[in-house]
Amino acid sequence: HAQLDAWRDSGGIRPASVWFGGLFNPVGFLISVRQGVARAIRVQEDRPIALDEMALHAEVTDMFDPADIGKDATARLVSGVYLHGLVLEGAAWSKI
């Protein structure tokens, strides 16, 4: 519950990276992220966008320590979210 407590105590500001496995409703979280991006598009581009028109996009980064995410200005996201704690089953990941 530490992730949720820290999130609550921060005044509702989303953390730099979210431990996806620690969420009670991860699908609901992804929907809320899509809603936030849709709202940002509506404000920035002055056009409404439906959630049905949006797609999820994922990229694997070379950041391995969640504590380092958000410290570098180039790594901050304008919209979207970083997730950590995902598990890759039946394969291996090389840091090279």
Coordinates of all heavy atoms in Angstrom, one line a residue:
H1 N 0.8 -1.2 0.0 CA 0.0 0.0 0.0 C 0.9 1.3 0.0 O 0.3 2.4 0.0 CB -0.9 0.0 1.2 CG -1.8 -1.2 1.3 ND1 -2.7 -1.4 0.2 CD2 -2.0 -2.1 2.2 CE1 -3.4 -2.5 0.6 NE2 -3.0 -3.0 1.7
A2 N 2.2 1.1 0.0 CA 3.0 2.3 0.1 C 2.9 3.2 -1.1 O 2.9 4.4 -1.0 CB 4.5 1.8 0.3
Q3 N 2.7 2.6 -2.3 CA 2.6 3.4 -3.5 C 1.3 4.2 -3.4 O 1.3 5.4 -3.7 CB 2.5 2.5 -4.7 CG 2.2 3.2 -6.0 CD 2.2 2.3 -7.2 OE1 3.0 2.5 -8.1 NE2 1.3 1.3 -7.2
L4 N 0.2 3.6 -3.0 CA -1.0 4.4 -2.9 C -1.0 5.4 -1.8 O -1.5 6.5 -2.0 CB -2.2 3.4 -2.7 CG -2.4 2.4 -3.8 CD1 -3.5 1.4 -3.5 CD2 -2.7 3.0 -5.1
D5 N -0.4 5.1 -0.7 CA -0.2 6.1 0.4 C 0.6 7.3 -0.1 O 0.2 8.5 0.2 CB 0.4 5.5 1.6 CG -0.5 4.5 2.3 OD1 -1.8 4.5 2.1 OD2 0.0 3.7 3.1
A6 N 1.7 7.1 -0.8 CA 2.5 8.1 -1.3 C 1.8 9.0 -2.3 O 1.9 10.2 -2.3 CB 3.8 7.6 -1.9
W7 N 1.0 8.3 -3.1 CA 0.2 9.0 -4.2 C -0.8 9.9 -3.5 O -1.0 11.1 -3.9 CB -0.4 8.0 -5.1 CG -0.9 8.5 -6.4 CD1 -1.2 9.8 -6.7 CD2 -1.2 7.8 -7.5 NE1 -1.7 9.9 -8.0 CE2 -1.7 8.6 -8.5 CE3 -1.2 6.4 -7.8 CZ2 -2.1 8.2 -9.7 CZ3 -1.6 6.0 -9.0 CH2 -2.0 6.9 -10.0
R8 N -1.5 9.4 -2.5 CA -2.5 10.2 -1.8 C -1.9 11.4 -1.1 O -2.4 12.5 -1.1 CB -3.2 9.3 -0.7 CG -4.3 10.0 0.1 CD -4.6 9.3 1.3 NE -3.4 9.2 2.2 CZ -3.1 8.1 2.9 NH1 -3.9 7.1 2.9 NH2 -2.1 8.1 3.7
D9 N -0.7 11.1 -0.4 CA -0.1 12.2 0.4 C 0.5 13.3 -0.5 O 0.8 14.4 0.0 CB 1.0 11.6 1.3 CG 0.4 10.7 2.3 OD1 -0.8 10.7 2.6 OD2 1.1 9.9 2.9
S10 N 0.7 13.0 -1.8 CA 1.3 14.0 -2.7 C 0.2 14.9 -3.3 O 0.5 15.8 -4.1 CB 2.0 13.3 -3.9 OG 1.0 12.7 -4.8
G11 N -1.0 14.8 -2.8 CA -2.0 15.7 -3.3 C -2.7 15.3 -4.6 O -3.2 16.0 -5.3
G12 N -2.5 14.0 -4.9 CA -3.1 13.4 -6.1 C -2.2 13.6 -7.4 O -2.7 13.3 -8.5
I13 N -1.0 14.1 -7.2 CA -0.1 14.2 -8.3 C 0.5 12.9 -8.6 O 1.0 12.2 -7.8 CB 1.0 15.2 -8.0 CG1 0.5 16.6 -7.7 CG2 2.1 15.3 -9.1 CD1 1.5 17.6 -7.2
R14 N 0.3 12.4 -9.9 CA 0.7 11.1 -10.3 C 2.2 11.0 -10.2 O 3.0 11.9 -10.5 CB 0.3 10.8 -11.7 CG 0.5 9.4 -12.1 CD -0.1 9.0 -13.4 NE 0.2 9.9 -14.5 CZ -0.6 10.3 -15.5 NH1 -1.9 9.9 -15.4 NH2 -0.2 11.1 -16.4
P15 N 2.7 9.9 -9.6 CA 4.2 9.7 -9.5 C 4.8 9.6 -10.8 O 4.2 9.3 -11.8 CB 4.3 8.4 -8.7 CG 3.0 7.7 -8.8 CD 2.0 8.8 -9.1
A16 N 6.2 9.8 -10.8 CA 6.9 9.7 -12.1 C 6.8 8.3 -12.7 O 6.7 8.2 -14.0 CB 8.4 10.0 -11.8
S17 N 6.7 7.3 -11.9 CA 6.5 5.9 -12.4 C 5.6 5.2 -11.5 O 5.7 5.3 -10.3 CB 7.9 5.2 -12.5 OG 7.7 3.9 -13.0
V18 N 4.7 4.4 -12.1 CA 3.7 3.6 -11.3 C 4.1 2.2 -11.3 O 4.3 1.6 -12.4 CB 2.3 3.9 -11.9 CG1 1.3 3.0 -11.2 CG2 2.0 5.4 -11.8
W19 N 4.1 1.5 -10.2 CA 4.3 0.1 -10.1 C 3.0 -0.6 -10.5 O 2.0 -0.6 -9.8 CB 4.7 -0.3 -8.7 CG 4.8 -1.8 -8.4 CD1 5.3 -2.7 -9.3 CD2 4.3 -2.5 -7.3 NE1 5.2 -4.0 -8.7 CE2 4.6 -3.9 -7.5 CE3 3.7 -2.1 -6.1 CZ2 4.3 -4.8 -6.6 CZ3 3.5 -3.1 -5.2 CH2 3.8 -4.4 -5.4
F20 N 2.9 -1.1 -11.7 CA 1.7 -1.6 -12.4 C 1.2 -2.8 -11.6 O -0.1 -2.9 -11.4 CB 2.0 -1.9 -13.8 CG 0.8 -2.0 -14.7 CD1 -0.1 -0.9 -14.8 CD2 0.4 -3.2 -15.3 CE1 -1.2 -1.0 -15.6 CE2 -0.7 -3.3 -16.1 CZ -1.5 -2.2 -16.3
G21 N 2.0 -3.6 -11.1 CA 1.6 -4.8 -10.4 C 1.0 -4.5 -9.0 O 0.3 -5.4 -8.4
G22 N 1.2 -3.3 -8.5 CA 0.7 -2.9 -7.2 C -0.7 -2.3 -7.3 O -1.2 -1.9 -6.2
L23 N -1.3 -2.2 -8.4 CA -2.6 -1.5 -8.6 C -3.7 -2.6 -8.4 O -3.6 -3.7 -8.8 CB -2.7 -0.9 -9.9 CG -1.7 0.3 -10.2 CD1 -1.9 0.7 -11.7 CD2 -2.0 1.4 -9.3
F24 N -4.8 -2.2 -7.7 CA -5.9 -3.1 -7.5 C -6.7 -3.2 -8.8 O -7.3 -4.3 -9.1 CB -6.9 -2.5 -6.5 CG -6.2 -2.4 -5.1 CD1 -6.0 -1.2 -4.5 CD2 -5.9 -3.6 -4.4 CE1 -5.4 -1.1 -3.3 CE2 -5.3 -3.5 -3.2 CZ -5.1 -2.3 -2.6
N25 N -6.7 -2.2 -9.6 CA -7.5 -2.2 -10.9 C -6.6 -1.6 -12.0 O -6.8 -0.4 -12.4 CB -8.8 -1.4 -10.7 CG -9.7 -1.4 -11.9 OD1 -9.4 -2.1 -12.9 ND2 -10.8 -0.7 -11.9
P26 N -5.7 -2.3 -12.5 CA -4.8 -1.8 -13.5 C -5.5 -1.3 -14.8 O -5.0 -0.3 -15.4 CB -3.8 -2.9 -13.8 CG -4.4 -4.1 -13.3 CD -5.3 -3.7 -12.2
V27 N -6.5 -2.0 -15.2 CA -7.2 -1.6 -16.4 C -7.9 -0.2 -16.2 O -7.9 0.6 -17.1 CB -8.3 -2.7 -16.8 CG1 -9.2 -2.2 -18.0 CG2 -7.6 -4.0 -17.2
G28 N -8.5 0.0 -15.0 CA -9.0 1.3 -14.7 C -8.0 2.4 -14.7 O -8.3 3.5 -15.1
F29 N -6.8 2.1 -14.3 CA -5.7 3.0 -14.3 C -5.4 3.4 -15.7 O -5.2 4.6 -16.0 CB -4.5 2.5 -13.6 CG -3.3 3.4 -13.7 CD1 -3.2 4.6 -13.0 CD2 -2.2 3.1 -14.5 CE1 -2.1 5.4 -13.1 CE2 -1.2 3.9 -14.7 CZ -1.1 5.1 -13.9
L30 N -5.3 2.4 -16.6 CA -5.0 2.7 -18.0 C -6.1 3.6 -18.6 O -5.8 4.5 -19.5 CB -4.7 1.4 -18.8 CG -3.5 0.6 -18.4 CD1 -3.4 -0.6 -19.2 CD2 -2.2 1.5 -18.6
I31 N -7.3 3.3 -18.3 CA -8.4 4.1 -18.8 C -8.3 5.5 -18.3 O -8.5 6.5 -19.1 CB -9.8 3.5 -18.4 CG1 -10.0 2.2 -19.2 CG2 -10.9 4.4 -18.7 CD1 -11.2 1.4 -18.7
S32 N -7.9 5.7 -17.0 CA -7.8 7.1 -16.5 C -6.6 7.8 -17.2 O -6.7 9.0 -17.4 CB -7.6 7.0 -15.0 OG -6.3 6.6 -14.6
V33 N -5.6 7.1 -17.5 CA -4.5 7.7 -18.3 C -5.0 8.2 -19.6 O -4.7 9.3 -20.1 CB -3.3 6.8 -18.4 CG1 -2.2 7.3 -19.3 CG2 -2.6 6.5 -17.0
R34 N -5.7 7.3 -20.3 CA -6.3 7.7 -21.6 C -7.2 8.9 -21.5 O -7.2 9.8 -22.3 CB -7.0 6.5 -22.2 CG -6.1 5.4 -22.7 CD -6.8 4.2 -23.1 NE -7.8 4.4 -24.1 CZ -8.6 3.4 -24.5 NH1 -8.6 2.2 -23.9 NH2 -9.5 3.7 -25.4
Q35 N -8.0 9.0 -20.4 CA -8.9 10.2 -20.2 C -8.0 11.4 -20.0 O -8.4 12.5 -20.6 CB -9.8 9.9 -19.0 CG -10.8 8.9 -19.2 CD -11.6 8.6 -18.0 OE1 -11.1 8.7 -16.9 NE2 -12.8 8.1 -18.1
G36 N -7.0 11.3 -19.3 CA -6.1 12.5 -19.1 C -5.5 13.0 -20.3 O -5.4 14.2 -20.6
V37 N -5.0 12.1 -21.2 CA -4.4 12.4 -22.5 C -5.5 13.1 -23.4 O -5.2 14.1 -24.0 CB -3.8 11.2 -23.1 CG1 -3.3 11.5 -24.5 CG2 -2.6 10.7 -22.3
A38 N -6.7 12.5 -23.4 CA -7.8 13.0 -24.2 C -8.1 14.5 -23.7 O -8.3 15.3 -24.6 CB -9.0 12.1 -24.1
R39 N -8.1 14.7 -22.4 CA -8.4 16.1 -21.9 C -7.3 17.0 -22.3 O -7.5 18.2 -22.7 CB -8.5 16.0 -20.4 CG -9.8 15.5 -19.9 CD -10.0 15.6 -18.4 NE -11.1 14.8 -18.0 CZ -11.0 13.7 -17.2 NH1 -9.9 13.4 -16.7 NH2 -12.1 13.1 -16.8
A40 N -6.0 16.6 -22.3 CA -4.9 17.4 -22.7 C -5.0 17.8 -24.1 O -4.7 18.9 -24.5 CB -3.6 16.7 -22.4
I41 N -5.4 16.8 -25.0 CA -5.5 17.1 -26.4 C -6.6 18.1 -26.6 O -6.5 19.0 -27.5 CB -5.8 15.8 -27.2 CG1 -4.5 14.9 -27.2 CG2 -6.2 16.1 -28.6 CD1 -4.7 13.5 -27.7
R42 N -7.7 17.9 -25.9 CA -8.9 18.8 -26.0 C -8.4 20.3 -25.7 O -8.8 21.2 -26.4 CB -10.0 18.4 -25.2 CG -11.3 19.3 -25.4 CD -12.4 18.8 -24.5 NE -12.1 19.1 -23.1 CZ -12.4 18.3 -22.1 NH1 -13.1 17.2 -22.3 NH2 -12.0 18.6 -20.9
V43 N -7.6 20.4 -24.7 CA -7.2 21.8 -24.2 C -6.1 22.3 -25.2 O -6.2 23.5 -25.6 CB -6.7 21.7 -22.8 CG1 -6.0 23.0 -22.4 CG2 -7.8 21.4 -21.8
Q44 N -5.1 21.5 -25.5 CA -4.0 22.0 -26.3 C -4.4 22.2 -27.8 O -3.9 23.2 -28.4 CB -2.8 21.0 -26.2 CG -2.2 21.0 -24.9 CD -1.2 19.8 -24.8 OE1 -1.0 19.1 -25.7 NE2 -0.6 19.7 -23.6
E45 N -5.2 21.3 -28.3 CA -5.5 21.4 -29.8 C -6.9 21.9 -30.0 O -7.3 22.0 -31.2 CB -5.2 20.1 -30.4 CG -3.8 19.6 -30.3 CD -3.6 18.2 -30.9 OE1 -4.5 17.7 -31.7 OE2 -2.5 17.6 -30.7
D46 N -7.6 22.2 -28.9 CA -9.0 22.6 -29.1 C -9.9 21.7 -29.9 O -10.6 22.2 -30.8 CB -9.0 24.1 -29.6 CG -10.4 24.7 -29.4 OD1 -11.1 24.3 -28.4 OD2 -10.8 25.6 -30.2
R47 N -9.7 20.4 -29.7 CA -10.6 19.5 -30.4 C -10.9 18.3 -29.5 O -10.0 17.8 -28.8 CB -10.0 19.0 -31.7 CG -8.7 18.1 -31.5 CD -8.2 17.6 -32.8 NE -7.0 16.9 -32.7 CZ -6.9 15.6 -32.6 NH1 -8.0 14.8 -32.7 NH2 -5.7 15.0 -32.4
P48 N -12.1 17.9 -29.4 CA -12.5 16.7 -28.6 C -12.0 15.4 -29.2 O -11.9 15.3 -30.5 CB -14.0 16.8 -28.5 CG -14.4 17.5 -29.7 CD -13.3 18.4 -30.1
I49 N -11.6 14.5 -28.4 CA -11.2 13.2 -28.9 C -11.9 12.1 -28.0 O -11.9 12.2 -26.8 CB -9.7 13.0 -28.9 CG1 -9.3 11.7 -29.5 CG2 -9.1 13.2 -27.5 CD1 -7.8 11.6 -29.9
A50 N -12.5 11.1 -28.7 CA -13.1 10.0 -27.9 C -12.1 9.0 -27.5 O -11.1 8.7 -28.2 CB -14.2 9.4 -28.8
L51 N -12.4 8.3 -26.4 CA -11.5 7.3 -25.9 C -11.4 6.1 -26.9 O -10.4 5.5 -27.0 CB -11.9 6.8 -24.6 CG -11.8 7.7 -23.4 CD1 -12.3 7.1 -22.1 CD2 -10.4 8.2 -23.2
D52 N -12.5 5.9 -27.7 CA -12.5 4.8 -28.7 C -11.5 5.1 -29.8 O -11.0 4.2 -30.5 CB -13.9 4.7 -29.3 CG -14.9 4.2 -28.3 OD1 -14.4 3.7 -27.2 OD2 -16.1 4.3 -28.5
E53 N -11.2 6.4 -30.0 CA -10.2 6.8 -31.1 C -8.8 6.7 -30.6 O -7.9 6.8 -31.5 CB -10.5 8.2 -31.5 CG -11.8 8.5 -32.1 CD -12.1 9.9 -32.4 OE1 -11.1 10.7 -32.3 OE2 -13.2 10.3 -32.6
M54 N -8.5 6.4 -29.4 CA -7.2 6.4 -28.8 C -6.7 5.0 -28.8 O -7.4 4.0 -28.7 CB -7.2 7.0 -27.4 CG -7.6 8.4 -27.4 SD -7.6 9.1 -25.7 CE -5.8 9.3 -25.5
A55 N -5.3 4.8 -28.9 CA -4.7 3.5 -28.8 C -3.6 3.6 -27.8 O -3.0 4.7 -27.5 CB -4.1 3.2 -30.2
L56 N -3.3 2.5 -27.1 CA -2.2 2.4 -26.2 C -0.9 2.2 -27.0 O -0.9 1.4 -27.9 CB -2.4 1.3 -25.2 CG -3.6 1.4 -24.2 CD1 -3.8 0.2 -23.4 CD2 -3.4 2.6 -23.4
H57 N 0.1 2.8 -26.5 CA 1.4 2.7 -27.2 C 2.4 2.5 -26.1 O 2.5 3.2 -25.1 CB 1.8 4.0 -27.9 CG 3.1 4.0 -28.5 ND1 3.5 3.3 -29.7 CD2 4.3 4.5 -28.1 CE1 4.7 3.5 -29.9 NE2 5.3 4.2 -29.0
A58 N 3.3 1.5 -26.2 CA 4.3 1.1 -25.2 C 5.7 1.1 -25.8 O 5.8 0.7 -27.0 CB 4.0 -0.2 -24.6
E59 N 6.6 1.6 -25.1 CA 8.0 1.6 -25.5 C 8.8 1.1 -24.3 O 8.6 1.4 -23.2 CB 8.5 2.9 -25.9 CG 8.0 3.5 -27.1 CD 8.6 4.8 -27.5 OE1 9.7 5.1 -27.1 OE2 7.9 5.6 -28.3
V60 N 9.8 0.2 -24.6 CA 10.7 -0.3 -23.5 C 11.9 0.7 -23.5 O 12.4 1.1 -24.5 CB 11.2 -1.7 -23.8 CG1 12.2 -2.1 -22.8 CG2 10.0 -2.7 -23.9
T61 N 12.2 1.2 -22.3 CA 13.3 2.1 -22.1 C 14.5 1.4 -21.5 O 14.4 0.3 -21.1 CB 12.9 3.3 -21.1 OG1 12.7 2.8 -19.8 CG2 11.6 3.9 -21.6
D62 N 15.6 2.2 -21.4 CA 16.8 1.6 -20.7 C 16.9 2.1 -19.3 O 17.9 1.9 -18.7 CB 18.0 2.0 -21.5 CG 18.2 3.5 -21.6 OD1 17.3 4.3 -21.2 OD2 19.2 3.9 -22.2
M63 N 15.8 2.6 -18.7 CA 15.8 3.0 -17.3 C 15.5 1.7 -16.5 O 14.4 1.1 -16.7 CB 14.8 4.1 -17.0 CG 15.2 5.4 -17.7 SD 14.0 6.7 -17.4 CE 12.8 6.3 -18.7
F64 N 16.3 1.4 -15.5 CA 16.1 0.2 -14.7 C 15.7 0.4 -13.3 O 15.2 -0.5 -12.6 CB 17.3 -0.7 -14.8 CG 17.5 -1.4 -16.2 CD1 18.4 -0.8 -17.1 CD2 16.8 -2.5 -16.5 CE1 18.5 -1.3 -18.4 CE2 17.0 -3.0 -17.8 CZ 17.8 -2.5 -18.7
D65 N 16.0 1.6 -12.8 CA 15.7 1.9 -11.4 C 14.5 2.9 -11.4 O 14.7 4.1 -11.9 CB 16.9 2.5 -10.7 CG 16.7 2.7 -9.2 OD1 15.6 2.4 -8.7 OD2 17.6 3.2 -8.6
P66 N 13.4 2.5 -10.8 CA 12.2 3.5 -10.8 C 12.5 4.8 -10.1 O 11.9 5.8 -10.4 CB 11.1 2.7 -10.1 CG 11.5 1.3 -10.2 CD 13.0 1.2 -10.3
A67 N 13.4 4.8 -9.2 CA 13.8 6.0 -8.4 C 14.4 7.0 -9.3 O 14.4 8.2 -9.1 CB 14.7 5.7 -7.3
D68 N 15.0 6.6 -10.4 CA 15.7 7.5 -11.4 C 14.8 8.1 -12.4 O 15.1 9.1 -13.0 CB 16.8 6.8 -12.1 CG 18.0 6.4 -11.2 OD1 18.1 7.0 -10.2 OD2 18.7 5.4 -11.6
I69 N 13.6 7.6 -12.5 CA 12.6 8.1 -13.5 C 12.1 9.5 -13.0 O 11.7 9.6 -11.9 CB 11.4 7.1 -13.7 CG1 12.0 5.8 -14.3 CG2 10.4 7.7 -14.6 CD1 11.0 4.7 -14.3
G70 N 12.1 10.4 -13.9 CA 11.6 11.8 -13.6 C 12.7 12.7 -13.1 O 12.5 13.9 -13.1
K71 N 13.9 12.2 -12.8 CA 15.0 13.1 -12.4 C 15.6 13.8 -13.6 O 16.0 14.9 -13.5 CB 16.1 12.3 -11.7 CG 15.6 11.8 -10.3 CD 16.8 11.1 -9.6 CE 16.3 10.6 -8.2 NZ 17.4 9.8 -7.6
D72 N 15.6 13.1 -14.7 CA 16.2 13.7 -15.9 C 15.1 14.4 -16.7 O 14.0 13.8 -17.0 CB 16.8 12.6 -16.8 CG 17.5 13.1 -18.1 OD1 17.6 14.3 -18.2 OD2 17.9 12.3 -18.9
A73 N 15.3 15.7 -17.0 CA 14.2 16.5 -17.7 C 13.9 15.9 -19.1 O 12.7 16.0 -19.5 CB 14.7 17.9 -17.9
T74 N 14.8 15.2 -19.7 CA 14.5 14.6 -21.0 C 13.7 13.3 -20.9 O 13.1 12.9 -21.9 CB 15.8 14.3 -21.8 OG1 16.6 13.3 -21.0 CG2 16.7 15.5 -22.0
A75 N 13.6 12.8 -19.7 CA 12.9 11.5 -19.5 C 11.4 11.8 -19.1 O 10.6 10.9 -19.0 CB 13.6 10.6 -18.5
R76 N 11.1 13.0 -18.8 CA 9.7 13.3 -18.3 C 8.8 13.3 -19.5 O 9.0 13.7 -20.6 CB 9.7 14.7 -17.6 CG 10.5 14.8 -16.4 CD 10.2 16.0 -15.6 NE 11.1 16.1 -14.4 CZ 12.0 17.0 -14.2 NH1 12.2 17.9 -15.1 NH2 12.8 16.9 -13.1
L77 N 7.6 12.8 -19.2 CA 6.6 12.6 -20.2 C 5.6 13.8 -20.2 O 5.3 14.3 -19.1 CB 5.7 11.4 -19.9 CG 6.4 10.0 -20.1 CD1 5.5 8.9 -19.7 CD2 6.9 9.8 -21.5
V78 N 5.3 14.3 -21.3 CA 4.3 15.4 -21.4 C 2.9 14.8 -21.2 O 2.1 15.3 -20.5 CB 4.3 16.0 -22.8 CG1 3.2 17.0 -23.0 CG2 5.7 16.7 -23.0
S79 N 2.6 13.6 -21.7 CA 1.4 12.9 -21.5 C 1.7 11.4 -21.4 O 2.7 11.0 -21.9 CB 0.4 13.2 -22.6 OG 0.8 12.7 -23.8
G80 N 0.9 10.7 -20.8 CA 1.2 9.2 -20.6 C 1.8 8.9 -19.2 O 1.7 9.8 -18.3
V81 N 2.3 7.8 -19.1 CA 2.9 7.3 -17.8 C 4.0 6.3 -18.0 O 4.0 5.6 -19.0 CB 1.7 6.8 -16.9 CG1 1.1 5.5 -17.6 CG2 2.1 6.5 -15.5
Y82 N 4.9 6.3 -17.1 CA 5.9 5.3 -17.0 C 5.4 4.2 -16.1 O 4.8 4.5 -15.0 CB 7.2 5.8 -16.5 CG 8.1 6.6 -17.4 CD1 8.3 7.9 -17.2 CD2 8.6 6.0 -18.6 CE1 9.1 8.7 -18.1 CE2 9.4 6.7 -19.5 CZ 9.6 8.0 -19.2 OH 10.4 8.8 -20.1
L83 N 5.6 2.9 -16.4 CA 5.2 1.8 -15.6 C 6.5 1.0 -15.3 O 7.4 0.9 -16.1 CB 4.2 0.9 -16.3 CG 2.9 1.5 -16.8 CD1 2.1 0.5 -17.6 CD2 2.1 2.0 -15.6
H84 N 6.5 0.5 -14.1 CA 7.7 -0.4 -13.7 C 7.1 -1.6 -13.0 O 6.0 -1.7 -12.6 CB 8.7 0.3 -12.9 CG 8.2 0.7 -11.5 ND1 7.6 1.9 -11.3 CD2 8.3 0.1 -10.3 CE1 7.3 2.0 -10.0 NE2 7.7 0.9 -9.4
G85 N 8.0 -2.6 -12.9 CA 7.6 -3.8 -12.2 C 6.9 -4.8 -13.1 O 6.2 -5.8 -12.6
L86 N 7.0 -4.7 -14.4 CA 6.4 -5.6 -15.3 C 7.2 -6.9 -15.4 O 8.5 -6.8 -15.2 CB 6.2 -5.0 -16.7 CG 5.3 -3.8 -16.7 CD1 5.3 -3.2 -18.1 CD2 3.9 -4.1 -16.2
V87 N 6.7 -8.0 -15.6 CA 7.4 -9.3 -15.7 C 7.3 -9.8 -17.1 O 6.3 -9.8 -17.7 CB 6.7 -10.3 -14.7 CG1 7.5 -11.6 -14.8 CG2 6.8 -9.7 -13.3
L88 N 8.5 -10.3 -17.5 CA 8.6 -10.9 -18.8 C 8.7 -12.4 -18.6 O 9.7 -12.8 -18.0 CB 9.8 -10.3 -19.6 CG 10.1 -10.8 -21.0 CD1 9.0 -10.4 -21.9 CD2 11.4 -10.3 -21.5
E89 N 7.8 -13.2 -19.0 CA 7.8 -14.6 -18.8 C 8.1 -15.3 -20.1 O 7.7 -15.0 -21.2 CB 6.4 -15.1 -18.3 CG 6.1 -14.6 -16.9 CD 4.8 -15.1 -16.4 OE1 4.2 -16.1 -17.0 OE2 4.3 -14.6 -15.4
G90 N 8.9 -16.4 -19.9 CA 9.3 -17.2 -21.1 C 10.3 -16.6 -22.0 O 10.5 -17.1 -23.1
A91 N 11.0 -15.6 -21.5 CA 12.0 -15.0 -22.3 C 13.1 -14.3 -21.4 O 12.9 -14.3 -20.2 CB 11.4 -13.9 -23.2
A92 N 14.1 -13.7 -21.9 CA 15.1 -13.0 -21.1 C 15.3 -11.6 -21.7 O 15.0 -11.4 -22.9 CB 16.4 -13.8 -21.2
W93 N 15.7 -10.7 -20.9 CA 16.0 -9.4 -21.3 C 17.4 -9.0 -21.1 O 18.0 -9.3 -20.0 CB 15.1 -8.4 -20.5 CG 15.2 -7.0 -21.0 CD1 16.0 -6.0 -20.5 CD2 14.5 -6.4 -22.1 NE1 15.9 -4.9 -21.3 CE2 15.0 -5.1 -22.3 CE3 13.6 -6.9 -23.0 CZ2 14.5 -4.3 -23.3 CZ3 13.1 -6.1 -24.0 CH2 13.6 -4.8 -24.1
S94 N 18.1 -8.5 -22.1 CA 19.5 -8.2 -22.0 C 19.6 -6.7 -21.9 O 19.0 -5.9 -22.6 CB 20.2 -8.6 -23.2 OG 21.6 -8.2 -23.2
K95 N 20.4 -6.2 -20.9 CA 20.7 -4.7 -20.7 C 21.6 -4.2 -21.8 O 21.8 -3.0 -21.8 CB 21.2 -4.5 -19.4 CG 20.2 -4.8 -18.2 CD 20.9 -4.4 -16.9 CE 19.9 -4.7 -15.8 NZ 20.4 -4.3 -14.5
I96 N 22.2 -5.0 -22.6 CA 23.2 -4.6 -23.6 C 22.5 -4.0 -24.8 O 21.5 -4.3 -25.3 CB 24.0 -5.8 -24.1 CG1 24.8 -6.3 -22.9 CG2 24.9 -5.4 -25.2 CD1 25.6 -7.6 -23.2

